[in-house]
Amino acid sequence: PIPVVYYTPETGIAAGATLIYSYRQAGQPSNGQRSSIFPAIIFTQNKQTILIARSRHNYEQDLWRQTAIVFYSLYPIKYYGIGDATRVDQEEFYDSTNNRFSFGLGRRIAEHLYLGVRAIYRHTNISKIKSGGLLDTVEPVGSRGGREQSLGYYLDFDSADDNFNPTRGVRANISYNEFRESYGSSFDYEEI
């Protein structure tokens, strides 16, 4: 078990714990990166709860990499409006419940370089909106929550010598995800 402690303006002080299970698949080279599973639970000063579990598995001597993330949060948060003309006196609170899942599968195409596909599912529910407030009256896109589903691609460069305690190497990632109503999303947009 490893303690987790941090601070951000939107969470205040946050604390929790994570567990890390790290191992090498049968047949993996001793100098190859380890597979891992690590769940975490975090509670914040602002009464937010975050549950997350991540995994990464390496197969066939690092020829294939599979990643998965499962995420849940109950996130009371402040809203001030959109743009640079927002004011502190416009502050209103709402609750956001988020469920997310992503799955990726990548193949090594050159030394340290992986090309992969990723599917993402997100569902957000917005509740406890202030009656007559900005979210209630202006109704910006997403103010009632929604579902997001994506298919995408990624390119990872990873020459780190270890997944958790690297002493040398570089990690870089670029990805493209397309969220479309035709995939079941509430919104059409792209993430790069």
Side-chain angles (χ1 to χ4, degrees):
I2 299 172
V4 175
V5 178
Y6 63 90
Y7 172 87
T8 70
E10 69 181 24
T11 63
I13 297 170
T18 186
L19 299 171
I20 297 177
Y21 177 64
S22 178
Y23 63 96
R24 282 192 171 68
Q25 297 275 6
Q28 287 290 98
S30 61
N31 63 347
Q33 291 208 10
R34 295 174 286 167
S35 295
S36 60
I37 300 170
F38 50 105
I41 184 167
I42 300 166
F43 300 99
T44 76
Q45 181 180 4
N46 292 337
K47 299 179 181 166
Q48 299 151 333
T49 303
I50 302 165
L51 304 169
I52 187 168
R54 297 174 183 251
S55 70
R56 185 175 103 177
H57 301 283
N58 306 322
Y59 302 100
E60 296 182 30
Q61 299 184 1
D62 267 353
L63 181 63
W64 294 92
R65 286 188 175 173
Q66 172 261 309
T67 59
I69 300 172
V70 178
F71 176 90
Y72 167 83
S73 71
L74 174 58
Y75 222 76
I77 195 163
K78 299 174 185 175
Y79 180 74
Y80 296 93
I82 297 174
D84 61 356
T86 59
R87 300 184 318 267
V88 173
D89 65 341
Q90 291 177 316
E91 175 185 287
E92 56 188 68
F93 286 88
Y94 69 94
D95 281 356
S96 172
T97 305
N98 302 283
N99 299 289
R100 300 178 187 165
F101 175 77
S102 72
F103 178 85
L105 182 64
R107 187 180 194 286
R108 187 176 63 228
I109 57 173
E111 186 175 8
H112 308 300
L113 193 61
Y114 294 83
L115 178 65
V117 294
R118 180 176 293 128
I120 298 172
Y121 171 83
R122 302 175 185 149
H123 183 266
T124 302
N125 184 43
I126 305 294
S127 62
K128 297 187 181 177
I129 296 172
K130 178 182 173 184
S131 180
L134 290 171
L135 284 174
D136 187 34
T137 57
V138 177
E139 295 187 11
V141 173
S143 63
R144 299 292 186 240
R147 183 177 56 242
E148 302 161 78
Q149 294 177 179
S150 162
L151 295 174
Y153 307 93
Y154 67 87
L155 187 64
D156 282 346
F157 180 84
D158 186 358
S159 64
D161 61 345
D162 189 76
N163 208 12
F164 293 104
N165 300 304
T167 57
R168 64 183 180 278
V170 173
R171 286 188 179 141
N173 170 279
I174 187 166
S175 64
Y176 170 81
N177 294 292
E178 187 175 64
F179 296 84
R180 295 285 177 246
E181 289 181 7
S182 59
Y183 301 160
S185 286
S186 302
F187 317 102
D188 280 339
Y189 70 97
E190 299 167 0
E191 282 182 350
I192 297 176

